Amino acid sequence: MHIETITPLILTYNEEPNVERTLQKLSWAKEIIAIDSYSEDRTLEILNSYPQVKLFQRKFDTHTQQWNYGLEQIKSEWVLSLDADYVLTDALIEAFSVLEDPSINGYSIPFKYCVFGKPLKGTILPPRLALFRKNSATYIDDGHTQLLKLEGRSSQLDRYIHHDDRKPLSRWLWAQDRYMVIESAKLLNTPDLELSWGDRLRKRKIFAPAVILIYCLIVKGGILDGWQGWYYAFQRTLAELLLAIHIIEAEHLKPECR
């Protein structure tokens, strides 16, 4: 694969604390497509300071619609879809140039979650199908976020993306609250047989927060990451508590969702 055939695609909304670090690792790209949801901070100023960035603005409705709109703007064969807090490692960039299998239409990329810039040893983020042929893929809804539907074969790389979100806690809480409203609706309206075991556990409300705390600290080794590991474990536990609260609220306010 020639790296010049890859166009990074980024979604942004008030990503001043993050997006510059993301763009600094994309200097190799001939063109970068950014879809902005009318940011009110310095995000647009930062994007416009990079000459290869082609900026589009679209009012946000869903992640799926936003990503698919971004795909429509890309002319290259390959797309690298990135959140504005995803930072490519040098090893991953080098790996792009040695991908040669013409039968592969997409590659999943694993993550290392960062807390204040420090990559953690183990996190609960699954690999994401982030590098793919444009003509073989489309986004579909999946709870509060999106899922890439890919035609053909895929593979997984062994190099990492750093997920390094440095937005303030208030913004994180705001985003998680919005996400968990949508996620609770998905869980309540999906039969248990169609849910993964993890989502079935989350639907029970009581157990998931405690399980996720133990999983992050012990199973994934977060306790070895010092205070950053505890921070991450508390953050994920709080997200599960928010989900449990929204499920309880939805069950009592909307009995038809039971």
Side-chain angles (χ1 to χ4, degrees):
M1 179 190 301
H2 294 291
I3 200 167
E4 294 82 4
T5 65
I6 303 173
T7 298
L9 170 62
I10 307 174
L11 301 191
T12 60
Y13 175 67
N14 289 348
E15 290 288 350
E16 179 182 342
N18 293 320
V19 71
E20 182 123 40
R21 285 176 290 105
T22 299
L23 292 170
Q24 287 172 349
K25 288 295 187 178
L26 299 176
S27 59
W28 50 267
K30 293 175 61 178
E31 184 173 77
I32 301 167
I33 300 296
I35 310 299
D36 181 76
S37 302
Y38 292 95
S39 292
E40 299 170 345
D41 60 1
R42 292 185 57 250
T43 297
L44 298 182
E45 178 185 336
I46 295 170
L47 289 170
N48 285 323
S49 70
Y50 286 78
Q52 72 267 53
V53 171
K54 191 172 183 180
L55 175 62
F56 298 85
Q57 286 192 293
R58 181 181 185 274
K59 183 178 179 180
F60 183 86
D61 43 16
T62 69
H63 285 96
T64 296
Q65 295 298 328
Q66 207 78 340
W67 283 112
N68 283 330
Y69 175 77
L71 291 182
E72 293 173 2
Q73 317 310 318
I74 291 178
K75 300 179 177 62
S76 64
E77 180 182 6
W78 288 86
V79 180
L80 177 64
S81 66
L82 300 171
D83 288 352
D85 52 11
Y86 288 0
V87 181
L88 303 190
T89 58
D90 292 337
L92 177 60
I93 296 170
E94 292 175 4
F96 291 158
S97 297
V98 298
L99 300 177
E100 298 178 346
D101 190 340
S103 69
I104 299 296
N105 286 341
Y107 293 91
S108 295
I109 304 176
F111 288 88
K112 281 188 179 293
Y113 194 89
C114 300
V115 173
F116 298 101
K118 177 184 176 179
L120 302 183
K121 293 181 175 63
T123 62
I124 62 174
L125 288 171
R128 171 177 163 182
L129 194 55
L131 178 63
F132 53 88
R133 297 182 195 270
K134 175 193 170 183
N135 293 335
S136 300
T138 189
Y139 283 98
I140 59 176
D141 289 319
D142 183 35
H144 76 270
T145 185
Q146 75 291 324
L147 180 69
L148 186 73
K149 183 178 180 181
L150 183 75
E151 298 178 0
R153 294 179 58 210
S154 64
S155 183
Q156 182 173 320
L157 302 181
D158 59 359
R159 315 293 173 88
Y160 288 88
I161 289 177
H162 285 167
H163 183 182
D164 191 2
D165 187 3
R166 302 191 193 181
K167 294 189 292 293
L169 177 61
S170 58
R171 172 67 188 280
W172 182 87
L173 288 168
W174 170 82
Q176 291 300 313
D177 186 61
R178 291 175 63 243
Y179 295 160
M180 294 313 173
V181 170
I182 302 171
E183 194 71 8
S184 64
K186 171 195 170 184
L187 294 178
L188 288 172
N189 290 304
T190 303
D192 283 359
L193 291 177
E194 297 178 18
L195 294 173
S196 67
W197 70 266
D199 280 342
R200 293 182 199 178
L201 182 66
R202 300 172 86 200
K203 195 173 180 178
R204 299 299 173 266
K205 304 177 288 290
I206 298 174
F207 304 106
V211 169
I212 206 68
L213 178 64
I214 296 170
Y215 185 74
C216 288
L217 288 175
I218 307 302
V219 179
K220 301 300 288 187
I223 199 169
L224 302 176
D225 285 308
W227 69 265
Q228 291 96 337
W230 284 93
Y231 181 96
Y232 177 73
F234 288 156
Q235 188 183 65
R236 298 321 313 162
T237 302
L238 179 54
E240 291 302 321
L241 284 169
L242 285 171
L243 177 62
I245 291 169
H246 278 297
I247 290 175
I248 293 171
E249 183 180 74
E251 286 176 331
H252 284 81
L253 294 181
K254 299 178 180 179
E256 68 273 10
C257 290
R258 294 181 192 178

